[in-house]
Amino acid sequence: MSSYTVKIDDAEFKFTKDQLDSEPGNELATFFLQGIDRASNSQSTGKVLRLEKDPLLFKLIQAHLRGYDVLPIPDTLVPNYMSKEGALENLQRDARSLGLRRLEDKVLNYQLNLARGTQVKIPVARKKYKLATFRKSWVVVDITEEGYRTLLDRFSKRNFQVVAPSSLQCPGYTIVVCWRDFEGAYVPELALTKESHCALLESND
């Protein structure tokens, strides 16, 4: 089977006719296959194409013509004098100059999605919650948002006595509600009894 060689500096890149034909109209196919019977695999050529390209980026072009996805660009194929963003830009330019429109479109779409992702990924601060109980002193523990919502729901449906949270301090948190008289209910998972003073706290962030 014929192979076709591209030389960049001291590196050689081999292509088959099917690989060159995998993206119609590209400049590599035009150089090597113009005037050759494309239906025949028996043709051979001594042509060597020399290009002034970066050999690492050209490895991506070779992989693309072999049918592989090349994005995102692996760190090992980013030239040491380029940033990753610069490598993407230069790969897109090389694809355009060689008439590899599908590869060019893939790079452009990848850059667009990357830009959208950068804009969308805005850190969202999540609230934190605590439950404080008082017998001889305040004991404050972390609770989940689900636990916090459950306790608020119970509080809204029962007849609690709201009290002032005397001496309760928790920097960075706001006391949402403080109560006593859990209407005789005992909640084993929270160890709350009728005699407990309780408070729900929400983080300020």
Side-chain angles (χ1 to χ4, degrees), residues 61-72:
I61 290 172
Q62 183 184 46
H64 167 74
L65 288 173
R66 287 175 172 175
Y68 296 112
D69 291 326
V70 298
L71 299 172

Side-chain angles (χ1 to χ4, degrees), residues 45-86:
T45 178
K47 278 186 177 181
V48 174
L49 176 62
R50 295 183 179 273
L51 293 177
E52 291 296 322
K53 302 288 185 184
D54 185 277
L56 288 179
L57 294 184
F58 199 79
K59 279 188 178 182
L60 297 168
I61 290 172
Q62 183 184 46
H64 167 74
L65 288 173
R66 287 175 172 175
Y68 296 112
D69 291 326
V70 298
L71 299 172
I73 299 177
D75 291 339
T76 54
L77 292 182
V78 176
N80 58 15
Y81 58 91
M82 294 182 198
S83 66
K84 206 156 192 175
E85 294 77 11

Side-chain angles (χ1 to χ4, degrees), residues 43-183:
Q43 299 291 339
S44 62
T45 178
K47 278 186 177 181
V48 174
L49 176 62
R50 295 183 179 273
L51 293 177
E52 291 296 322
K53 302 288 185 184
D54 185 277
L56 288 179
L57 294 184
F58 199 79
K59 279 188 178 182
L60 297 168
I61 290 172
Q62 183 184 46
H64 167 74
L65 288 173
R66 287 175 172 175
Y68 296 112
D69 291 326
V70 298
L71 299 172
I73 299 177
D75 291 339
T76 54
L77 292 182
V78 176
N80 58 15
Y81 58 91
M82 294 182 198
S83 66
K84 206 156 192 175
E85 294 77 11
L88 275 170
E89 290 285 346
N90 289 320
L91 178 61
Q92 183 234 322
R93 291 191 188 102
D94 284 352
R96 182 189 302 155
S97 70
L98 292 171
L100 298 166
R101 293 186 179 179
R102 285 210 306 260
L103 178 57
E104 182 185 1
D105 288 344
K106 285 182 179 181
V107 176
L108 287 171
N109 287 332
Y110 179 81
Q111 289 173 309
L112 181 60
N113 291 333
L114 206 60
R116 285 173 178 167
T118 302
Q119 293 170 4
V120 169
K121 291 178 182 177
I122 300 172
V124 178
R126 294 184 63 86
K127 291 283 188 181
K128 298 177 183 177
Y129 305 93
K130 292 183 182 291
L131 170 68
T133 57
F134 181 85
R135 290 182 181 85
K136 294 182 180 180
S137 61
W138 285 105
V139 177
V140 181
V141 297
D142 294 323
I143 59 174
T144 64
E145 182 176 356
E146 182 181 1
Y148 172 80
R149 300 296 175 195
T150 299
L151 284 171
L152 275 184
D153 183 61
R154 288 179 179 176
F155 181 82
S156 67
K157 293 177 181 177
R158 294 177 182 268
N159 184 24
F160 295 100
Q161 178 185 354
V162 179
V163 297
S166 176
S167 73
L168 175 58
Q169 294 183 351
C170 190
Y173 284 77
T174 297
I175 299 169
V176 177
V177 65
C178 184
W179 73 91
R180 65 175 297 181
D181 282 343
F182 203 71
E183 209 177 51

